[in-house]
C-alpha cells in the first residue's frame, strides 16, 4: 500500500510540473514581436495530425498583416491539399506588456495570448469545420520564433477535454515566398 501511495504521489508531482508557461521563455531569443513579425506578407505551411498521429490534412496559408491604431489585422487565406479554400481574418490587440486578445468570426469569444521571449501562447475555442458541420474545439496554441525569421507553431486541439489532434505550422515572412 505504501508503494502505491508513493508511486501515486510521484505521478502527481510529475504531471503537476509538466505544463509549459510563456514566462519559461522570457530569456529566449530572438524576441517575438507579434505585430512586427506579421506586418506585411508571410506564408505558412501546415499539417493536421489526428490523436493517433495519422496525417489528415496538409495546407498552405498566405497571410497579409496590417497594423493600424494599435491593432494587427491578419488576413489568412488557406489552401488545402484537396483544393478546398478558407479564409480567416484575425483582429489582434495588445492589452499589456505581455498580453494580447484576438478575435475572428469562427473564434468563440476572445482568444487570449501571452508572449515572453521567443514564445507566444494562445488559448481559444473555435467552431472547426468538419464535413458539412462544425465541432466546437479548444486550442492550446504555441508559437516559437527561431533565427532567420522562421516561426514554428504547434497547437493541440481538444474536444470535451480530450485531445483530438495537433496542428503544426512553419511560417516564413520572406516576401519572395509569400508573394507566390
Amino acid at each position: 500500500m505504501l508503494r502505491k501511495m508513493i508511486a501515486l504521489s510521484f505521478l502527481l508531482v510529475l504531471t503537476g510540473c509538466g505544463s509549459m508557461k510563456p514566462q519559461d521563455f522570457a530569456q529566449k531569443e530572438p524576441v517575438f514581436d507579434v505585430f512586427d513579425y506579421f506586418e506585411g506578407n508571410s506564408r505558412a505551411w501546415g499539417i493536421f495530425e489526428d490523436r493517433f498521429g495519422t496525417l489528415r490534412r496538409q495546407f498552405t496559408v498566405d497571410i497579409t498583416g496590417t497594423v493600424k491604431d494599435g491593432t494587427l489585422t491578419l488576413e489568412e487565406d488557406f489552401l488545402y491539399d484537396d483544393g478546398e479554400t478558407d479564409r480567416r481574418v484575425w483582429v489582434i490587440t495588445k492589452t499589456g506588456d505581455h498580453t494580447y486578445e484576438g478575435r475572428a468570426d469562427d473564434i468563440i469569444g476572445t482568444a487570449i495570448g501571452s508572449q515572453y521571449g521567443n514564445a507566444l501562447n494562445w488559448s481559444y475555442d473555435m467552431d472547426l469545420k468538419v464535413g458539412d458541420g462544425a465541432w466546437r474545439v479548444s486550442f492550446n496554441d504555441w508559437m516559437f520564433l527561431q533565427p532567420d525569421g522562421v516561426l514554428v507553431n504547434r497547437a493541440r486541439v481538444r474536444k470535451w477535454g480530450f485531445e483530438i489532434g495537433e496542428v503544426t505550422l512553419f511560417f516564413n515572412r520572406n516576401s519572395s515566398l509569400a508573394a507566390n
Side-chain angles (χ1 to χ4, degrees):
M1 180 68 166
L2 181 60
R3 292 172 105 186
K4 287 182 182 179
M5 289 179 66
I6 290 172
L8 182 59
S9 296
F10 182 69
L11 182 62
L12 289 173
V13 167
L14 282 179
T15 59
C17 298
S19 295
M20 285 192 306
K21 295 180 248 355
Q23 296 86 338
D24 296 341
F25 301 92
Q27 303 306 313
K28 298 289 185 180
E29 293 187 2
V31 173
F32 182 28
D33 180 322
V34 179
F35 281 34
D36 181 57
Y37 187 88
F38 283 110
E39 186 170 26
N41 295 321
S42 55
R43 175 174 278 175
W45 297 263
I47 59 173
F48 175 77
E49 297 172 88
D50 67 20
R51 64 185 174 157
F52 304 108
T54 302
L55 182 64
R56 295 294 182 180
R57 291 201 95 174
Q58 298 180 63
F59 56 93
T60 58
V61 189
D62 286 317
I63 304 158
T64 302
T66 307
V67 177
K68 184 177 179 185
D69 299 327
T71 299
L72 170 63
T73 302
L74 293 178
E75 298 175 52
E76 300 177 331
D77 292 305
F78 292 79
L79 175 60
Y80 294 92
D81 60 340
D82 62 3
E84 182 182 348
T85 61
D86 199 6
R87 182 174 178 83
R88 178 174 299 115
V89 178
W90 282 96
V91 177
I92 299 170
T93 55
K94 189 166 184 167
T95 57
D97 288 342
H98 299 279
T99 56
Y100 294 86
E101 288 185 352
R103 296 184 185 278
D105 286 342
D106 53 355
I107 302 302
I108 308 307
T110 303
I112 304 299
S114 181
Q115 180 278 322
Y116 285 82
N118 75 329
L120 172 69
N121 178 226
W122 283 108
S123 297
Y124 55 93
D125 294 336
M126 77 177 290
D127 286 334
L128 182 66
K129 289 183 194 177
V130 178
D132 292 333
W135 288 1
R136 177 122 338 144
V137 296
S138 298
F139 276 75
N140 182 14
D141 198 337
W142 283 90
M143 297 177 155
F144 300 94
L145 183 59
Q146 303 298 301
D148 300 323
V150 173
L151 183 64
V152 177
N153 186 180
R154 191 178 75 203
R156 298 191 189 267
V157 185
R158 295 183 176 273
K159 181 170 178 58
W160 299 314
F162 296 100
E163 188 167 320
I164 62 168
E166 185 170 337
V167 179
T168 305
L169 293 124
F170 295 91
F171 292 81
N172 189 307
R173 63 180 183 171
N174 181 326
S175 60
S176 65
L177 288 173
N180 292 329

